[in-house]
């Protein structure tokens, strides 16, 4: 589970599992008046924040699965590389880094994703030599 927090009075928690690529929970973290809470809830519902985050995570998950089925690489290393390009204090301030962090925190999902790769890397030359008569 990873928390996305962008100085909002709500915290967005992204967690991953194999059955559903992601789950999102919205939680108010700053004490606010009831009127403000209602306004925040209406605002998040009208903007469809939760469903937009879920759609984003599902799209990202499908893209990673497609990459893994085409090329053999360790998804954990790739996700860590992507996160290393972001300053530590900014990780989780955007949907992508929050999702990548959530994936990395779930070893079962990482194992599943790594199992998707082909047995032979499609982009590497085969060890099978073919001699041509020239």
């Amino acid at each position: 589970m990873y928390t996305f927090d962008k100085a909002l009075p709500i915290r967005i928690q992204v967690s991953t599992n194999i059955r559903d690529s992601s789950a999102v929970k919205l939680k108010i973290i700053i004490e606010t008046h009831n009127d403000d809470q209602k306004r925040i809830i209406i605002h998040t519902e009208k903007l469809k924040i939760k469903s937009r985050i879920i759609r984003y995570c599902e799209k990202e998950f499908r893209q990673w699965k497609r990459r893994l089925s085409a090329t053999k690489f360790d998804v954990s290393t790739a996700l860590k590389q992507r996160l290393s390009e972001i300053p530590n204090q900014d990780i989780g301030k955007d949907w992508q880094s929050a999702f990548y962090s959530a994936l990395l925190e779930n070893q079962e999902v990482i194992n599943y994703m790594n199992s998707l790769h082909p047995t032979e890397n499609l982009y590497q030359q085969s060890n099978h030599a073919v001699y041509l008569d020239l």
Side-chain angles (χ1 to χ4, degrees), residues 17-76:
N17 61 54
I18 290 176
R19 281 174 254 106
D20 306 316
S21 58
S22 61
V24 176
K25 293 181 182 178
L26 304 178
K27 179 180 177 183
I28 295 178
I29 58 168
I30 298 174
E31 286 191 36
T32 56
H33 297 290
N34 284 340
D35 291 343
D36 290 336
Q37 286 183 8
K38 289 176 186 173
R39 181 181 51 79
I40 292 166
I41 291 168
I42 290 170
H43 184 71
T44 57
E45 287 174 350
K46 293 290 183 186
L47 291 176
K48 300 177 182 176
I49 291 174
K50 186 174 179 175
S51 63
R52 289 171 59 199
I53 293 170
I54 291 170
R55 272 197 314 275
Y56 172 82
C57 292
E58 288 172 344
K59 179 183 170 203
E60 279 289 308
F61 194 69
R62 280 192 310 272
Q63 288 176 343
W64 279 101
K65 284 171 55 174
R66 228 180 346 269
R67 289 179 196 126
L68 288 159
S69 65
T71 308
K72 186 175 181 176
F73 65 92
D74 178 54
V75 72
S76 180

Side-chain angles (χ1 to χ4, degrees), residues 5 7 19 77 85 103 134:
D5 186 2
R19 281 174 254 106
T77 303
E85 298 167 0
L103 288 173
L134 300 177

